[in-house]
Structure formats: structure tokens, C-alpha cells
């Protein structure tokens, strides 16, 4: 076992591939519009003639580097590089505005590596157990956990739950546009062929967080630029010890959620952020205003979820997220059988993947901290230069999704919508998550009802007769109950414009 784990370290070629793959993944994740899934998919076509180990090594490295890289632009310019880095904007960007960009990136890097290592340890020691737990989840449980994720992102990004519910509902409806995957029927297309493929969430992400930010910042054009203080990048050792309990709890959450097929880093980061917000009694500053705990929790969970996502892929042949679905295809191309037979027929490959992941996390630390000053200084660029660059990347990124101008139009539309949402203090996160999870929630809900012989009452009853469903249902009820106190301020503040500063 030890020999196989050390193969990527002792083989110079594989070692360089890990270093290069992690760097490429970091760049792909940091550039808005480019996804980790896209990068790994391109590698499948480029490496199908390579030997199996080299191909898998570079794809795993891009996976880890890309998941980490998504937080870089989320922290610096409030544009999530990936959907899973959405939660990093909640407190990461406020830290940047407070002149603590370097510290924010340093914290994100260190705790991402800690979370990733924890996920690998669980992958190596407890893969069969966690896989059995994931298999206990029925379609209704996936529906409940996605519904919970939307509720959580609503409660995390705004002080008013009704706004969040409204925006999330709008996102779910928009997510249903296109072809129904279960029946093949078209929904909300109005006969327009351009809507047959649905609305891509990346275009939504770029519009709501990229172009909308440009529109909003235009009000400040010509004013003093941000005061960026790089300062100390590495947090003191006492800080690591102080946040260790929170780190361990959120890492466990990330692994478990990552092992659930279809849940992914988006849900893991939101659950972790919500957990930190509920359990931290004395944060260094309020959540949403630059709390360190608000950045540590989601970044730890996102990276630990990567190890969790590899568990069902390697042990059952079931993808934990979109990237692992592509990796399964890569394994099949190279003549391997993802699932239980993989560990029986080629156990060496499993430990090579574990070793590659560990070395990739080391390079995440190296690349993340070595270029921190360079990346942090991006916000010192004058706005009349920086804003056109952001617009350029949002347009190119949205067009590059499907090489379609329609996606660019959607990005512009969401940019305008996002501007008014920022102006009137409506959260953008629930809409993005609604578009991402809406179609999946619809499928899981209908499968759940079908499993109860088409009875809606049977479906509702099953929520209270199965242990996992009951726990999730109670969690949803508690979440709604704890937010009811917010209704007091709705009448006076619901449509009060957000001041532009």
C-alpha cells in the first residue's frame, strides 16, 4: 500500500504531472466561466492515448486544483469561480473590502488543504462504511437535502427569508426551462428552439455575480480605490488551534455530503457555513461582514467533499458529482471497471489516486501561497481598467459554455436582474442554486411520488416513517422555525433600496 501511495512522488514524470495539473486546475477554477468539469472533460480527450496512471494522475490533480481555485475570484472580486465557491463570497469578499485580501486567501488556502487531507483520510480508511451510508438515501432524501440547501442559502445571504424564498422559487422555475429529462416534453420554451437546452447556470452565475457587480461598481467609478493591505498571510498557530473544532466538524459534513451522489460541494459549503453561523458564539466579527469562521467553514467543507465524492466513484462506480462522472468515463476509456471490481482487479490504482490527491494538496498550498500577493493586488487595478476586464471574461466565459450567443444574452439579462437585486438587497445565491438544483429536485420529487404508487399523501407519510427522511424533515422545520423571527422587520425594510457607497 505504502509503495503505491508513493508512486506519484517517486516517479519524476508523475510528480511533474501532479504539479502541472494542480496549477492548471487552479487557473481554470479561478477564471469565471471555466469549470473544473470542463477542464477534466478536455483532458479525457487529450489523454486517451496516454498510459492509464498518467492520465488519471493529471485529471485528479486538475480536480483538486480547480475546486480550490474557485474561491480566489470569489474572495477578490465577489465572482465565484465555481458554483461550490459561492459561499466564499459571503465573508471572503467583505474581508477584501476591509483590506484583508491576503489574510483571506491565506486562510482559505490553509483550511482548504486541511479539509482536503481530512477527506483523503476518510477515503482511505472508511470508504466502504460511508458508501453504505450513501446507499441508504432514497430519492425523497435527495429531494429533502436539496430543498434544505436552498433554504440554507436563503438564510445565509440575507436577513429576510421571504426575499430568499421568492428568489429561490424564481430560480427553480428558470431551472425547469427546457426538456423534461423524464418525459422528453418541453417546458416553458414557448416554441423557442434556443430555450430547448435550458438556462445554463454558469451564464446565470456570471451575470448575477459578474456583470451585476460591474453595473453596481459603476456608481463608484472615479472614487478612491480599495485599500489593499496584504499584511501577514499565514494565520498564527493559535488561530489554527482555535478553529480546529469547527474545521473538523465541517470537514466531516463535507465528506458525508460529498459522498451523496448529486449533492456536491455547493450543498456541502452551504451546510458548513450555516453550521458555523449557528454554533460560533463569539466570531471575530459578524457573519457577512468578514468573519474568519464564515470563510473557514465552507472552504474546509468544499475540499473535504472532493474526497467524499471519490468514495462512491471508486467503490460503487456511482459519481459523487459532475467531475467524478467524467472520471468514470475516463476509467472506462482506459479499460477499467469503476466500482467494487476496481478495488479487486486494480487495487494499486486506488492507492495511486490517494497518493496523487495528497501530493496535489501540497501543491495547492504551494501555488496558493506563492502567488498570493500577485492575486491579491488585482483589486488595486483602477476600476476603469478592471471593470472592462471583468466584462470581457464574463462575455467570453458565457459564450464558451456552449459556443452560443444565447448564453451571452442570458448572462446580460441576469446581469441587469442582479443589479436591481443588489440595489434592493435581494440575495443572488438562492437564484443560482435554484437553477442548479431545480431540475434535480423535480426529478427526485417525482421519483419519490412514483415509488409510493403515485400517491402524494404516501410521499408525505414516508417523510415521517423513514429515519433519514425524518431527520432531514425535522431539520427543515427547525430551519424555517428559526427564521420566523425575521418577519418583524419585513414591513419596513422589504423594499428599502440598498445605499450605494
Amino acid at each position: 500500500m505504502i509503495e503505491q501511495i508513493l508512486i506519484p512522488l517517486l516517479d519524476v514524470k508523475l510528480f511533474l504531472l501532479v504539479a502541472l495539473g494542480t496549477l492548471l486546475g487552479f487557473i481554470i477554477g479561478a477564471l469565471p466561466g471555466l469549470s473544473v468539469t470542463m477542464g477534466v472533460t478536455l483532458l479525457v480527450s487529450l489523454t486517451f492515448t496516454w498510459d492509464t496512471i498518467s492520465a488519471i494522475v493529471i485529471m485528479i490533480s486538475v480536480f483538486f486544483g480547480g475546486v480550490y481555485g474557485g474561491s480566489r475570484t470569489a474572495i477578490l472580486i465577489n465572482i465565484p469561480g465555481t458554483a461550490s465557491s459561492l459561499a466564499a463570497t459571503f465573508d471572503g469578499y467583505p474581508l477584501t473590502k476591509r483590506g484583508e485580501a491576503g489574510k483571506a486567501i491565506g486562510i482559505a488556502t490553509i483550511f482548504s488543504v486541511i479539509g482536503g487531507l481530512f477527506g483523503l483520510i476518510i477515503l482511505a480508511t472508511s470508504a466502504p462504511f460511508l458508501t453504505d451510508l450513501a446507499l441508504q438515501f432514497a430519492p425523497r432524501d435527495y429531494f429533502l437535502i436539496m430543498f434544505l440547501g436552498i433554504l440554507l442559502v436563503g438564510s445565509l445571504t440575507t436577513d429576510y427569508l421571504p426575499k430568499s424564498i421568492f428568489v429561490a422559487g424564481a430560480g427553480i422555475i428558470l431551472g425547469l426551462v427546457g426538456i423534461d429529462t423524464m418525459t422528453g416534453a418541453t417546458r416553458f420554451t414557448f416554441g423557442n428552439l434556443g430555450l430547448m437546452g435550458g438556462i445554463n447556470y454558469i451564464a446565470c452565475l456570471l451575470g448575477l455575480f459578474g456583470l451585476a457587480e460591474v453595473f453596481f461598481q459603476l456608481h463608484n467609478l472615479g472614487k478612491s480605490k480599495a485599500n489593499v493591505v496584504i499584511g501577514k498571510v499565514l494565520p498564527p498557530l493559535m488561530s489554527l488551534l482555535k478553529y480546529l473544532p469547527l474545521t473538523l466538524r465541517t470537514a466531516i459534513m463535507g465528506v458525508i455530503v460529498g459522498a451523496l451522489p448529486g449533492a456536491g460541494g455547493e450543498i456541502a459549503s452551504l451546510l458548513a457555513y450555516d453550521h458555523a453561523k449557528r454554533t460560533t458564539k463569539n466570531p471575530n466579527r459578524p457573519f457577512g461582514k468578514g468573519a474568519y469562521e464564515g470563510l473557514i467553514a465552507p472552504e474546509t467543507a468544499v475540499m473535504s467533499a472532493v474526497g467524499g465524492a471519490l468514495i462512491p466513484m471508486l467503490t460503487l462506480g456511482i459519481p459523487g458529482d459532475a467531475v467524478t462522472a467524467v472520471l468514470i468515463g475516463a476509467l472506462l476509456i482506459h479499460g477499467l471497471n469503476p466500482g467494487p471490481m476496481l478495488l479487486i482487479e486494480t487495487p494499486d490504482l486506488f492507492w495511486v489516486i490517494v497518493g496523487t490527491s495528497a501530493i496535489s494538496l501540497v501543491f495547492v498550498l504551494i501555488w496558493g501561497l506563492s502567488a498570493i500577493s500577485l492575486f491579491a493586488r488585482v483589486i488595486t487595478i483602477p476600476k476603469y481598467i478592471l471593470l472592462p476586464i471583468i466584462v470581457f471574461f464574463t462575455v467570453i466565459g458565457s459564450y464558451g459554455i456552449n459556443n452560443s450567443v444565447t448564453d451571452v444574452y442570458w448572462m446580460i439579462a441576469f446581469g441587469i436582474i442582479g443589479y436591481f437585486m443588489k440595489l434592493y438587497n435581494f440575495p443572488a445565491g438562492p437564484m443560482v442554486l435554484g437553477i442548479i438544483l431545480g431540475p434535480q429536485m423535480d426529478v427526485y420529487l417525482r421519483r419519490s411520488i412514483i415509488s409510493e404508487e403515485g400517491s402524494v399523501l404516501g410521499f408525505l407519510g414516508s417523510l415521517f416513517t423513514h429515519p433519514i427522511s425524518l431527520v432531514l424533515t425535522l431539520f427543515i422545520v427547525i430551519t424555517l422555525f428559526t427564521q420566523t423571527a425575521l418577519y418583524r422587520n419585513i414591513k419596513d425594510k422589504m423594499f428599502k433600496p440598498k445605499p450605494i457607497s
Side-chain angles (χ1 to χ4, degrees):
M1 179 185 72
I2 301 298
E3 293 80 0
Q4 284 76 32
I5 291 178
L6 293 178
I7 285 177
L9 178 64
L10 300 178
D11 189 304
V12 176
K13 175 186 173 182
L14 295 180
F15 184 78
L16 293 177
L17 284 177
V18 175
L20 176 62
T22 306
L23 179 60
L24 288 176
F26 172 60
I27 296 172
I28 291 171
L31 291 177
L34 299 182
S35 67
V36 186
T37 308
M38 181 190 304
V40 175
T41 302
L42 290 175
L43 283 175
V44 172
S45 60
L46 292 174
T47 62
F48 75 95
T49 58
W50 293 16
D51 64 275
T52 302
I53 292 181
S54 298
I56 298 302
V57 159
I58 193 169
M59 282 187 275
I60 292 293
S61 303
V62 169
F63 188 10
F64 276 86
V67 171
Y68 161 73
S71 65
R72 190 55 58 99
T73 49
I75 292 172
L76 292 177
I77 55 178
N78 202 32
I79 302 177
T82 61
S84 60
S85 59
L86 173 63
T89 63
F90 300 161
D91 283 283
Y93 186 59
L95 279 169
T96 296
K97 292 196 294 185
R98 296 176 65 92
E100 298 184 55
K103 183 173 288 187
I105 294 175
I107 288 174
T109 303
I110 291 173
F111 285 94
S112 291
V113 172
I114 293 174
L117 288 174
F118 185 88
L120 284 183
I121 293 172
I122 300 299
L123 169 65
T125 59
S126 305
F129 169 76
L130 286 176
T131 300
D132 291 340
L133 177 63
L135 286 176
Q136 300 300 317
F137 275 67
R140 61 177 173 274
D141 301 319
Y142 287 113
F143 168 77
L144 290 173
I145 198 170
M146 290 177 184
F147 182 68
L148 176 63
I150 289 180
L151 285 182
L152 289 179
V153 76
S155 66
L156 303 178
T157 55
T158 185
D159 293 332
Y160 314 114
L161 187 62
K163 287 184 178 181
S164 305
I165 294 176
F166 171 78
V167 173
I172 291 173
I173 293 174
L174 290 173
L176 295 178
V177 172
I179 298 177
D180 183 354
T181 55
M182 290 187 68
T183 64
T186 57
R187 298 182 294 195
F188 307 118
T189 60
F190 306 103
N192 190 327
L193 294 178
L195 297 176
M196 296 284 284
I199 300 173
N200 195 288
Y201 74 88
I202 298 180
C204 171
L205 196 73
L206 291 173
L208 290 176
F209 287 92
L211 194 61
E213 184 69 24
V214 171
F215 291 153
F216 197 74
Q217 290 296 328
L218 284 175
H219 290 275
N220 298 327
L221 194 62
K223 297 184 180 181
S224 59
K225 58 185 179 182
N227 179 28
V228 179
V229 180
I230 303 301
K232 292 184 178 179
V233 172
L234 297 176
L237 179 61
M238 292 304 297
S239 295
L240 298 177
L241 298 177
K242 175 184 176 181
Y243 299 123
L244 184 60
L246 175 64
T247 303
L248 292 177
R249 294 195 304 270
T250 52
I252 292 172
M253 295 173 66
V255 172
I256 294 175
V257 175
L260 301 176
E266 301 95 306
I267 300 295
S269 63
L270 295 172
L271 288 173
Y273 187 92
D274 177 75
H275 174 75
K277 190 175 181 181
R278 293 175 185 273
T279 59
T280 304
K281 296 181 179 179
N282 297 305
N284 66 304
R285 57 178 66 97
F287 280 83
K289 304 294 183 181
Y292 296 149
E293 296 88 346
L295 184 60
I296 290 171
E299 287 304 293
T300 302
V302 165
M303 288 301 287
S304 65
V306 176
L310 290 173
I311 292 172
M313 184 199 84
L314 294 174
T315 59
L316 294 174
I318 300 174
D321 58 10
V323 180
T324 50
V326 177
L327 288 174
I328 286 177
L331 291 173
L332 291 172
I333 288 175
H334 286 275
L336 300 173
N337 297 316
M341 295 305 297
L342 181 68
L343 298 179
I344 296 174
E345 296 175 350
T346 54
D348 293 353
L349 182 62
F350 174 82
W351 296 111
V352 168
I353 290 175
V354 172
T356 298
S357 303
I359 299 172
S360 181
L361 286 171
V362 174
F363 278 106
V364 164
L365 191 66
I366 293 173
W367 299 134
L369 295 180
S370 61
I372 194 168
S373 298
L374 176 64
F375 273 92
R377 295 185 187 281
V378 70
I379 58 173
T380 65
I381 301 174
K383 288 184 178 179
Y384 62 85
I385 297 176
L386 180 61
L387 295 183
I389 293 175
I390 295 175
V391 172
F392 172 78
F393 277 111
T394 56
V395 172
I396 295 300
S398 56
Y399 178 79
I401 301 168
N402 297 309
N403 293 328
S404 171
V405 179
T406 302
D407 290 326
V408 178
Y409 294 152
W410 276 116
M411 185 273 296
I412 295 173
F414 280 115
I416 297 172
I417 294 172
Y419 165 73
F420 286 104
M421 290 172 65
K422 291 174 76 70
L423 190 64
Y424 287 94
N425 201 27
F426 277 77
M431 178 171 285
V432 177
L433 203 64
I435 291 177
I436 295 173
L437 299 182
Q440 300 179 57
M441 290 175 61
D442 172 60
V443 171
Y444 284 125
L445 177 60
R446 284 190 286 170
R447 285 181 179 175
S448 302
I449 295 175
I450 291 172
S451 67
E452 299 295 334
E453 299 181 353
S455 172
V456 176
L457 292 178
F459 162 71
L460 295 176
S462 68
L463 301 183
F464 301 95
T465 57
H466 295 78
I468 297 177
S469 302
L470 178 60
V471 171
L472 291 173
T473 302
L474 291 177
F475 200 177
I476 290 173
V477 172
I478 293 172
T479 301
L480 289 171
F481 179 77
T482 55
Q483 293 296 322
T484 53
L486 300 175
Y487 281 94
R488 302 171 186 170
N489 299 324
I490 297 170
K491 184 176 180 180
D492 297 329
K493 299 181 180 180
M494 185 70 173
F495 293 103
K496 183 178 180 180
K498 184 178 180 179
I500 300 173
S501 59

